[in-house]
Amino acid sequence: MNQKGSHSVYGEFGWIQRIRTLLGVPRHGGIGIGDDAAVLPGGWLWTTDALVEGVHFLSSWPMEGVGYKSLACNVSDIVAMGGKPLYVLLTSGLSSDFGDEKYEGFLMGLDKALRDFDVALMGGDTVRSETVFFSLTVIGQAFSTPVLRSGARPGDIIYVTGVLGESALGLDILLGKNVALSQPEKYVNRHFYPPSRIAVMKKLLEKYTISAAIDCSDGFLADIDHIAEESGVGYEIELSRLPGPIGLSGGKTPTEFPWTYILSGGEDYEIIFTSPEVLPSSLADIPITSIGYITPYEKKLLWRGEVFEADLLPRGYTHF
Amino acid sequence: MNQKGSHSVYGEFGWIQRIRTLLGVPRHGGIGIGDDAAVLPGGWLWTTDALVEGVHFLSSWPMEGVGYKSLACNVSDIVAMGGKPLYVLLTSGLSSDFGDEKYEGFLMGLDKALRDFDVALMGGDTVRSETVFFSLTVIGQAFSTPVLRSGARPGDIIYVTGVLGESALGLDILLGKNVALSQPEKYVNRHFYPPSRIAVMKKLLEKYTISAAIDCSDGFLADIDHIAEESGVGYEIELSRLPGPIGLSGGKTPTEFPWTYILSGGEDYEIIFTSPEVLPSSLADIPITSIGYITPYEKKLLWRGEVFEADLLPRGYTHF
């Protein structure tokens, strides 16, 4: 999420870099900052993600959805690293006017996610906070060698699972923005109940070489940039190949609807990954779309013949 | 922390019980809710603790201290379970007016704690939040078998390390309350920079049978109650044996100064533990005080000959 309105000279990613430089001293083995999840000895994967009132959700929203999503976004980090999520700790920051009914709703949604993703709730912390927040931390086990962001090599093909942009459409519908769609509840559900890509990831790792992966959480362009930066490579993306919401057309340039949602919407929790191999167009009933190539250095975005400089298109999208 | 001003019919511990009943379904082995830390296969210990602005700290305080304490309170949970802390993830919720300088201060304090406790920062999350919060999660390794709250048996002797009450005195000094003490900075330092009891815990586990343990975070009476409840036992505590701040006297009953701080102050991060053995009065240069016995059922508090019903004395202490 962008730090909209923050007076920080660093911003979120600047702080992450600063923390990495100043405090990220390696101790006790393992691989730390710079991936979706930390890697601990023994193939354990470990991640944390927080949802904050007024930034990631509103307390007027159905809390079952917020509870489900709070686990799903953490699960997605483990899956993107090539692992199975196993355990979670929940820290709830509750305000005095949040109310038992809302918290019950949150817990019911979380419970559904625990069952769907086969994850065990192992404990946590309950604290008072004027701003309601939920901070979850998930541990999983890598199927084999963890997949890092840093493994992409020039010539690798870039792929993405599923469909991009629907979650951000659902978010703007929730926020009452002017998004005229025939099935609004479909997009809202996609926002609250993101699917796990664990089955497709498991099959990919069993059969193919996956050189790098990331989950699509900040928005496609921001996330593919993370792979490029950590791998020290560039990319060429054929933007018009990106899999957008089914049935939505229009938009003659990448800065028009619905492409803005597809490129920068975020919170899709699809997997963006690279492989030197040509892969089938679906696995475990999930579409897999090839969208471009890893290059030695330059970043380029291709749009129906035109070339965009990658750094000129906006990253992320400020919904709130 | 108490949920002061909360309209919840459950309160913190009520919610923990509800979550345990409804959502705490065991999956994938391991021991979950009901201890300082969760136990995962392979002897891994896992805990989380959050500090929230206006509840656990004020943003006007020196942030180095808050940063140090944010790790120390998590480390203490691992130590109380009989383990060595190894890794941490940090989630920071930052408001727009918190300012870079304060966050830098927090990180410098955290960095000092990382060095002192030999813990590796492995990643985390940075989010916007109107209320500033820091949610940390720590993983460690048990030295041998993890020490649970549930292992206390009738006849075991109850011990406590170090000194109780100084941290809460420091907190009230920080809050400008009328606590007249000759060395206020000593108590404030004790609040911000709690020592780790890892060395004494390691020696205890090498040489003696430790049947149950908990870290003193909520306040002595609240914490010994957790051992009693999880072990299905009672206790007899000789209150006047509890080790209070050195040089502070006065207080003819347990409801007078300084006993209120010793019994209910909280955030001491000393270890309360039980053993069938008679132990030396210090280990690794840390005092160890025997303060009572585990009994089959009844809880009693003894005070210089008088008997108090345990449930009639207040638990915890609302500082804010």
Side-chain angles (χ1 to χ4, degrees):
Chain A
M1 280 283 155
N2 295 331
Q3 296 208 335
K4 186 183 69 166
S6 166
H7 300 156
S8 171
V9 298
Y10 299 113
E12 180 188 344
F13 296 116
W15 271 120
I16 292 171
Q17 280 308 325
R18 257 185 94 68
I19 292 170
R20 190 175 187 175
T21 310
L22 295 174
L23 282 75
V25 180
R27 294 180 176 96
H28 315 301
I31 300 164
I33 306 167
D35 263 288
D36 285 305
V39 183
L40 305 187
W44 294 97
L45 303 171
W46 188 27
T47 189
T48 185
D49 243 329
L51 299 184
V52 180
E53 182 186 13
V55 179
H56 306 93
F57 69 91
L58 300 180
S59 59
S60 57
W61 289 1
M63 280 296 128
E64 291 80 358
V66 178
Y68 194 95
K69 188 181 144 187
S70 74
L71 184 63
C73 64
N74 278 284
V75 158
S76 173
D77 284 325
I78 300 291
V79 172
M81 299 282 292
K84 165 158 177 44
L86 294 169
Y87 310 104
V88 62
L89 298 178
L90 163 70
T91 293
S92 303
L94 304 177
S95 67
S96 54
D97 55 357
F98 186 62
D100 287 351
E101 206 179 314
K102 283 182 200 289
Y103 191 38
E104 287 265 6
F106 176 90
L107 292 174
M108 291 306 96
L110 175 60
D111 190 43
K112 180 165 165 43
L114 290 171
R115 293 163 201 265
D116 283 1
F117 303 134
D118 188 27
V119 169
L121 179 65
M122 300 295 281
D125 197 9
T126 307
V127 293
R128 267 191 307 135
S129 171
E130 272 309 294
T131 306
V132 176
F133 70 88
F134 303 102
S135 175
L136 281 76
T137 169
V138 169
I139 284 182
Q141 261 287 339
F143 291 122
S144 49
T145 309
V147 183
L148 308 183
R149 296 178 181 177
S150 55
R153 295 292 168 262
D156 284 354
I157 305 170
I158 306 170
Y159 295 92
V160 63
T161 63
V163 168
L164 302 176
E166 292 187 342
S167 172
L169 283 166
L171 176 52
D172 275 357
I173 289 163
L174 277 163
L175 291 170
K177 295 194 184 171
N178 189 17
V179 188
L181 296 168
S182 60
Q183 289 176 288
E185 67 285 355
K186 171 182 146 184
Y187 300 101
V188 169
N189 272 334
R190 183 60 177 76
H191 181 74
F192 282 139
Y193 300 96
S196 157
R197 294 308 183 210
I198 189 166
V200 62
M201 197 67 182
K202 191 158 183 275
K203 279 191 191 292
L204 281 170
L205 291 169
E206 280 166 5
K207 296 187 177 175
Y208 305 99
T209 301
I210 307 303
S211 50
I214 189 170
D215 75 326
C216 189
S217 55
D218 294 326
F220 173 79
L221 288 180
D223 291 315
I224 187 72
D225 271 0
H226 290 316
I227 286 189
E229 280 154 25
E230 296 295 331
S231 298
V233 296
Y235 53 74
E236 267 186 40
I237 305 271
E238 224 179 298
L239 287 179
S240 48
R241 283 191 60 80
L242 285 177
I246 293 146
L248 286 195
S249 59
K252 291 185 176 150
T253 75
T255 55
E256 285 176 68
F257 180 91
W259 291 97
T260 45
Y261 286 91
I262 297 166
L263 291 169
S264 310
E267 302 192 290
D268 298 301
Y269 303 114
E270 298 292 353
I271 310 294
I272 305 166
F273 63 96
T274 62
S275 170
E277 295 179 69
V278 175
L279 303 183
S281 61
S282 80
L283 268 178
D285 293 327
I286 306 300
I288 294 175
T289 312
S290 65
I291 53 173
Y293 293 91
I294 296 294
T295 61
Y297 43 92
E298 275 178 281
K299 295 186 201 174
K300 278 180 189 155
L301 300 171
L302 309 178
W303 176 264
R304 294 169 186 170
E306 272 188 87
V307 175
F308 288 81
E309 279 310 307
D311 295 331
L312 298 184
L313 277 182
R315 261 65 179 162
Y317 187 85
T318 306
H319 298 271
F320 284 83
Chain B
M1 279 286 153
N2 295 331
Q3 296 208 336
K4 187 182 70 165
S6 166
H7 300 156
S8 172
V9 297
Y10 299 113
E12 180 187 343
F13 296 115
W15 271 118
I16 292 171
Q17 280 308 324
R18 258 185 94 67
I19 291 170
R20 191 176 186 172
T21 310
L22 294 175
L23 283 75
V25 180
R27 294 181 175 95
H28 315 304
I31 301 165
I33 305 168
D35 264 288
D36 285 307
V39 183
L40 305 187
W44 293 97
L45 303 170
W46 189 27
T47 189
T48 186
D49 241 330
L51 299 183
V52 180
E53 181 185 14
V55 180
H56 306 92
F57 70 91
L58 301 180
S59 59
S60 57
W61 289 0
M63 279 297 129
E64 291 81 357
V66 177
Y68 194 94
K69 190 182 142 189
S70 74
L71 184 63
C73 62
N74 279 283
V75 158
S76 175
D77 285 324
I78 300 291
V79 172
M81 298 281 294
K84 167 162 176 40
L86 294 168
Y87 309 104
V88 61
L89 298 178
L90 163 71
T91 294
S92 304
L94 303 176
S95 67
S96 54
D97 55 357
F98 186 62
D100 287 352
E101 205 179 315
K102 283 183 202 289
Y103 191 38
E104 287 266 6
F106 176 91
L107 292 174
M108 291 306 96
L110 175 61
D111 190 43
K112 181 167 165 40
L114 291 171
R115 291 163 202 264
D116 283 0
F117 302 134
D118 188 28
V119 168
L121 179 66
M122 300 295 281
D125 198 9
T126 307
V127 293
R128 266 192 308 133
S129 173
E130 273 307 294
T131 306
V132 176
F133 70 88
F134 303 102
S135 175
L136 281 75
T137 169
V138 169
I139 283 182
Q141 261 287 339
F143 291 123
S144 49
T145 310
V147 183
L148 308 183
R149 296 177 181 176
S150 55
R153 295 291 169 263
D156 285 354
I157 305 170
I158 306 171
Y159 296 92
V160 64
T161 63
V163 168
L164 303 175
E166 292 188 341
S167 171
L169 282 166
L171 175 52
D172 274 357
I173 290 163
L174 277 164
L175 291 170
K177 293 194 185 171
N178 190 18
V179 188
L181 296 169
S182 61
Q183 289 176 288
E185 66 285 353
K186 172 183 143 184
Y187 300 101
V188 169
N189 271 334
R190 183 60 177 76
H191 181 74
F192 281 139
Y193 300 96
S196 157
R197 294 307 182 210
I198 190 166
V200 63
M201 197 66 181
K202 191 159 183 274
K203 278 191 193 291
L204 282 170
L205 292 169
E206 280 167 6
K207 296 188 178 176
Y208 305 100
T209 302
I210 306 304
S211 51
I214 190 170
D215 75 327
C216 188
S217 55
D218 294 326
F220 172 78
L221 288 180
D223 291 317
I224 187 72
D225 271 359
H226 291 316
I227 286 188
E229 279 154 26
E230 295 295 331
S231 298
V233 297
Y235 53 73
E236 268 186 37
I237 305 270
E238 223 179 300
L239 288 179
S240 49
R241 281 191 61 80
L242 285 177
I246 291 145
L248 285 195
S249 59
K252 291 185 176 151
T253 76
T255 55
E256 285 176 69
F257 180 90
W259 291 98
T260 43
Y261 287 91
I262 297 165
L263 292 169
S264 311
E267 301 192 290
D268 297 302
Y269 303 115
E270 298 292 354
I271 309 295
I272 305 166
F273 63 95
T274 61
S275 170
E277 296 180 68
V278 175
L279 303 182
S281 61
S282 81
L283 267 179
D285 293 329
I286 305 299
I288 294 175
T289 311
S290 65
I291 53 173
Y293 292 90
I294 296 294
T295 61
Y297 43 92
E298 276 179 279
K299 293 187 203 175
K300 279 183 189 149
L301 301 171
L302 309 179
W303 176 265
R304 295 172 185 166
E306 275 186 85
V307 175
F308 288 81
E309 279 309 309
D311 294 332
L312 297 184
L313 277 184
R315 262 66 180 157
Y317 187 84
T318 306
H319 299 272
F320 284 84

